[in-house]
């Protein structure tokens, strides 16, 4: 086989593996999200509130210039307690 043929076969295999792995990953994420939501809903009120707070995520970013990271900025600052 020529190198072009091998590249073609290799690309096809990579494409199939990528499709399979992304389906598995997305399926697992969906499963984990559903089970976590069901578990939180089944807890008593005080424990449920604490679990929901842990489930919240915040997003921050940091601008890098010349290899040095700047200040981290929260996109949606948490409410003050």
């Amino acid at each position: 086989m020529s190198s072009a043929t091998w590249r073609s076969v290799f690309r096809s295999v990579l494409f199939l593996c990528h499709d399979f792995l992304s389906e598995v990953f997305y399926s697992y994420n969906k499963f984990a999200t559903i089970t976590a939501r069901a578990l939180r809903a089944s807890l008593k009120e005080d424990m449920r509130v604490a679990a929901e707070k842990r489930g919240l995520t915040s997003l921050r970013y940091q601008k890098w210039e010349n290899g040095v990271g700047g200040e981290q900025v929260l996109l949606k600052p948490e409410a003050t307690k």
Side-chain angles (χ1 to χ4, degrees):
M1 286 181 131
S2 69
S3 61
T5 306
W6 277 111
R7 278 194 297 273
S8 171
V9 170
F10 186 66
R11 272 193 225 117
S12 298
V13 170
L14 280 178
F15 183 73
L16 290 173
C17 288
H18 178 269
D19 283 351
F20 173 74
L21 290 175
S22 31
E23 283 297 316
V24 168
F25 179 72
Y26 292 129
S27 298
Y28 175 76
N29 271 351
K30 189 170 189 167
F31 165 77
T33 301
I34 291 169
T35 54
R37 191 179 305 146
L39 177 65
R40 282 188 215 111
S42 69
L43 295 172
K44 292 182 181 177
E45 184 68 22
D46 58 336
M47 296 178 84
R48 185 183 56 78
V49 170
E52 285 178 353
K53 285 182 183 176
R54 284 192 305 271
L56 296 175
T57 59
S58 61
L59 182 64
R60 14 181 210 183
Y61 71 94
Q62 183 176 23
K63 186 173 181 178
W64 286 70
E65 291 181 6
N66 299 325
V68 177
E71 179 183 354
Q72 291 186 358
V73 179
L74 285 172
L75 287 183
K76 186 176 180 184
E78 295 180 16
T80 56
K81 297 179 182 179

